[in-house]
Amino acid sequence: MRLFKFFSAVMVMTMMALPMNSKKVHTLGDSTMAPYNPEATVTRGWGMYFGDFLTNGWESINYAKGGRDSYGGYSELWATAKKNVEAGDYVIITFAHNDEKNGGMDGYQLRDYYLSIGDQAKASAVDLRGSIPSTTYKQNLSKIVDEVKAMGAIPIICSPVCRAYFTGNTIRRNGRHDLGDSYSELTANGPVEGKSVPANDHLMDYAYHSQQVAIEKGINFIDLTTATKELYESYGPTKCLDYLFDGTGSTHFNATGALLVARECARLMKEQGILADVITLPVDISVSPASLSMGEAYKGQVLTKEFTISGFGLNPESGTVTVTATDGIQISLDKQTWSSSLSIDYNASTLVKTVHAQALLEKSGDMNGTITVKQGDKTLDVPVTATAITLDGGTEVKAYWRLEKDDTYELTGPATVIAESWEGMYVQRYSNPNANTTWPEWTGFEASRKTQRNLLTGDTWPAEEIDDNPTRYIQWGIKPALGTELKIDEISLFVCGCGGNGMCSHIYFSTDNFETRTTIFEMKKMPANNMQYVKTTPVISLQEGQELLVRVYPWYNGAASGKTICLSDLTIHGMAVDAGATGIKEVSGSGNKSSDVQYYSLDGMLLSSPKAGLNIMHMADGSVKKVIY
């Protein structure tokens, strides 16, 4: 595919009319673009680094999520992003990896076909992701583009990054998202598999059809498919996977790969005159991000964050970069060996290296330090900030699901629990008939200890899944009791696969109903019956009406039946404190219930009349008061 450069007169006129204070680029895509938690995985999405190439106050906001196709891109990601998009903003749109589900058939159409012939079992088992390149895929992209333009923002379509599918030293056709060598078609008599078209026929070429949308809509197109094909082939099959990918396959990047792809996107945009005065492409040594804001943690904990040192066209061609840190900060290349200084060698005038920094928060309050990077006569200082907080006062809250014989929970303290629920899954059983579960030695648990075994609806795990399915998960949650603020400081559980070594999972938490999420665990091909302990110590403050949700998203490495994901001992811990907005009033008397007032206990239970101690009063006008009888 040739690089397409299209910049219509209409687009020029639109840009001239845009407000000059626009400063945001919004990115919509799948797992190859998505943000990841560096503490939970080595996988990185290129959208995490795109903002590093923007200057003059511009920022990049990454809405991409793993497992999303163009349907999810429109109905979920764009639905979230458009709340923040303003006239003059840019919106980068790239999908295809998950649109290839069902061999290039449309997931919804396939489900409806099975329903039409009365095959409920097959209908339930259909992965609803997937679209047809020349029809539903284009339609989904077009809907996003039309709505972006209607808001006065500027859409940009990027064709999808390649998969590292090599034949010899060349990325083959399906690696370029052209399924023409083997695809499936839904006919009046059902799916037909193994169809093909000639190499010059673009019927099943997602990258080609994304370009056609750009042409038809008169918008800019970035050919990342060709750019990444050339990038991968420049390394060759072995070095490409070793240097650019995360070690779990041919799709997901490590930090180096993600940074280079982000740079390619920025380079192509600059070449086409898109944000040309805003995009910068450093050719000497640079650090990303330019400052490390490590956030908050509790006193005594260690905060860790990574940064990337990169250089292109360095002089001399071979040399050493030194990195040093001030007191209270240590640095590492492998997260195993930590020190206050390190040296990094480079060759061929090029360096891309991820460095990890950690800060031990020994004192309450703010911590400030500096990491210094030197190459030749150039010195870069990277400011480092962190905040240590102390969780004092309030009432302890603990929600605990044993998951041994049912989904009941124990709650200590004032809070409201959101019961366990399943989407596209169910509990197969609570048992361990083989009595062979391996637990971490520190637990002292016996191998026969029972767990909750969960299976997907339909019982058969689909082939070729490489990421979580947005419609398949298990969920728990918690929210503050009336009149309180809930400060969460720990989430923990045990997880493993049973029946085979191919179980994979992501575990996330969210405080906005999963419009955004934080990864706390990722593992692929989990050893069977070998329990993994998952624990995170976040700093979360939940206000009244806000929920903390925890979700486990499982998938399996290859087609399989009967394989289960096993869960045990989920704990959510924190402290409940007075929300403070309404104050507490001392009241004497019997406290008989009036007709226009409802009384609640601190844990959210409706009371027939106020009880001795703290009560929450809901007034008829909607206001809330806290009173002590």
Side-chain angles (χ1 to χ4, degrees):
M1 187 189 304
R2 292 181 300 173
L3 181 63
F4 172 68
K5 299 183 179 181
F6 189 96
F7 201 66
S8 67
V10 174
M11 178 59 70
V12 173
M13 293 174 65
T14 301
M15 291 183 65
M16 291 174 63
L18 294 175
M20 298 305 293
N21 59 350
S22 178
K23 295 288 185 181
K24 298 187 293 294
V25 178
H26 308 265
T27 56
L28 308 177
D30 52 39
S31 59
T32 61
M33 177 191 266
Y36 293 88
N37 180 359
E39 300 309 305
T41 177
V42 300
T43 306
R44 303 289 184 270
W46 68 264
M48 297 171 65
Y49 299 93
F50 180 76
D52 298 346
F53 301 98
L54 301 178
T55 59
N56 300 330
W58 281 74
E59 63 174 326
S60 177
I61 305 174
N62 189 2
Y63 300 91
K65 286 184 180 179
R68 271 51 177 185
D69 64 351
S70 59
Y71 276 108
Y74 174 72
S75 64
E76 180 186 357
L77 306 186
W78 170 239
T80 298
K82 66 183 178 183
K83 299 174 185 177
N84 304 314
V85 171
E86 299 176 347
D89 287 354
Y90 286 73
V91 181
I92 297 176
I93 308 157
T94 178
F95 294 97
H97 285 77
N98 299 294
D99 287 273
E100 298 168 17
K101 302 292 184 183
N102 303 305
M105 295 184 291
D106 184 276
Y108 288 92
Q109 293 178 9
L110 183 59
R111 179 200 59 182
D112 292 345
Y113 166 77
Y114 285 127
L115 289 174
S116 73
I117 63 173
D119 195 332
Q120 182 63 54
K122 285 188 176 179
S124 298
V126 169
D127 188 336
L128 293 178
R129 294 173 296 174
S131 63
I132 303 167
S134 62
T135 58
T136 50
Y137 174 68
K138 291 181 65 178
Q139 292 163 11
N140 294 330
L141 295 183
S142 295
K143 286 192 291 187
I144 301 175
V145 168
D146 289 344
E147 293 188 17
V148 171
K149 293 172 73 174
M151 297 180 72
I154 303 115
I156 300 170
I157 287 184
C158 283
S159 61
V161 297
C162 286
R163 301 183 195 268
Y165 291 169
F166 280 88
T167 297
N169 292 314
T170 302
I171 299 295
R172 60 180 179 265
R173 194 175 182 184
N174 62 340
R176 305 191 305 272
H177 302 283
D178 182 352
L179 304 186
D181 285 339
S182 180
Y183 67 95
S184 299
E185 181 180 16
L186 181 60
T187 71
N189 297 317
V192 177
E193 300 178 352
K195 299 195 67 172
S196 64
V197 292
N200 62 353
D201 188 326
H202 295 294
L203 176 69
M204 299 304 295
D205 187 341
Y206 288 88
Y208 171 84
H209 287 291
S210 70
Q211 180 185 14
Q212 297 309 298
V213 173
I215 294 173
E216 293 165 10
K217 297 293 182 180
I219 65 172
N220 289 289
F221 175 73
I222 302 299
D223 188 359
L224 271 188
T225 308
T226 296
T228 51
K229 175 182 183 295
E230 294 172 351
L231 175 66
Y232 299 174
E233 290 175 352
S234 71
Y235 281 86
T238 300
K239 289 183 178 180
C240 176
L241 290 174
D242 289 346
Y243 294 169
L244 306 182
F245 287 82
D246 68 356
T248 64
S250 305
T251 301
H252 297 117
F253 303 117
N254 60 19
T256 299
L259 177 66
L260 290 178
V261 172
R263 192 177 194 275
E264 281 296 284
C265 183
R267 178 184 66 82
L268 293 172
M269 288 175 62
K270 193 175 183 70
E271 285 183 359
Q272 294 187 45
I274 307 168
L275 289 173
D277 295 335
V278 171
I279 291 173
T280 182
L281 301 170
V283 294
D284 55 5
I285 201 75
S286 63
V287 176
S288 172
S291 61
L292 291 183
S293 178
M294 304 182 93
E296 295 180 330
Y298 298 105
K299 179 183 174 182
Q301 292 182 342
V302 175
L303 278 175
T304 304
K305 193 160 188 176
E306 68 177 31
F307 60 99
T308 302
I309 303 173
S310 59
F312 304 91
L314 298 180
N315 184 29
E317 291 185 359
S318 299
T320 299
V321 173
T322 61
V323 188
T324 57
T326 54
D327 290 344
I329 303 170
Q330 291 194 316
I331 47 181
S332 174
L333 294 176
D334 58 8
K335 298 177 71 173
Q336 302 295 321
T337 303
W338 297 88
S339 66
S340 60
S341 64
L342 54 84
S343 297
I344 304 171
D345 295 330
Y346 69 88
N347 293 290
S349 298
T350 302
L351 170 67
V352 178
K353 182 65 70 173
T354 298
V355 181
H356 306 275
Q358 70 174 15
L360 175 60
L361 303 181
E362 297 178 324
K363 299 179 180 179
S364 298
D366 295 334
M367 186 219 74
N368 296 280
T370 304
I371 294 173
T372 301
V373 178
K374 291 185 177 182
Q375 185 267 328
D377 59 0
K378 184 166 185 178
T379 299
L380 298 175
D381 287 330
V382 181
V384 180
T385 59
T387 301
I389 62 176
T390 303
L391 191 56
D392 293 326
T395 303
E396 182 179 25
V397 170
K398 179 180 178 182
Y400 173 68
W401 289 260
R402 167 64 183 86
L403 305 180
E404 177 185 22
K405 58 183 179 180
D406 54 34
D407 60 354
T408 59
Y409 58 85
E410 299 174 6
L411 175 63
T412 303
T416 300
V417 166
I418 299 166
E420 184 177 15
S421 60
W422 295 261
E423 179 71 27
M425 301 198 70
Y426 69 98
V427 177
Q428 184 199 47
R429 63 179 183 267
Y430 292 89
S431 64
N432 189 0
N434 298 320
N436 61 353
T437 301
T438 301
W439 298 85
E441 185 175 352
W442 57 266
T443 64
F445 294 160
E446 298 292 333
S448 58
R449 194 171 194 267
K450 293 182 179 180
T451 63
Q452 184 187 80
R453 295 188 168 208
N454 299 275
L455 193 58
L456 79 169
T457 303
D459 296 354
T460 300
W461 299 92
E464 300 181 358
E465 286 198 322
I466 59 172
D467 208 336
D468 54 59
N469 184 327
T471 62
R472 184 199 306 142
Y473 58 83
I474 306 163
Q475 175 179 280
W476 307 260
I478 197 168
K479 59 183 179 181
L482 293 169
T484 69
E485 178 182 353
L486 184 56
K487 296 180 178 292
I488 303 297
D489 62 357
E490 181 181 318
I491 304 168
S492 64
L493 71 154
F494 291 95
V495 59
C496 77
C498 294
N501 296 320
M503 187 61 66
C504 312
S505 71
H506 286 146
I507 303 178
Y508 309 101
F509 73 77
S510 175
T511 59
D512 58 9
N513 198 30
F514 275 83
E515 287 193 1
T516 60
R517 61 191 185 182
T518 299
T519 308
I520 59 177
F521 178 78
E522 176 192 83
M523 192 170 185
K524 300 173 183 177
K525 301 181 183 179
M526 290 188 279
N529 305 311
N530 193 324
M531 275 293 182
Q532 307 297 312
Y533 182 54
V534 180
K535 179 180 177 180
T536 185
T537 54
V539 176
I540 301 173
S541 293
L542 299 176
Q543 309 301 318
E544 282 190 65
Q546 192 175 16
E547 299 176 342
L548 169 71
L549 299 178
V550 180
R551 288 182 183 175
V552 176
Y553 284 82
W555 72 99
Y556 204 80
N557 182 47
S561 60
K563 314 299 183 183
T564 58
I565 183 163
C566 303
L567 303 168
S568 182
D569 297 273
L570 173 71
T571 300
I572 303 175
H573 182 273
M575 299 287 286
V577 299
D578 180 7
T582 58
I584 298 176
K585 180 180 180 181
E586 294 280 354
V587 177
S588 60
S590 60
N592 292 328
K593 185 178 185 296
S594 64
S595 60
D596 60 347
V597 176
Q598 286 184 316
Y599 291 87
Y600 291 82
S601 64
L602 196 58
D603 60 3
M605 297 295 293
L606 179 64
L607 303 174
S608 59
S609 61
K611 305 296 184 182
L614 180 62
N615 293 259
I616 309 299
M617 295 174 58
H618 273 222
M619 312 301 290
D621 62 1
S623 63
V624 177
K625 297 181 180 180
K626 287 173 280 186
V627 297
I628 295 177
Y629 283 97

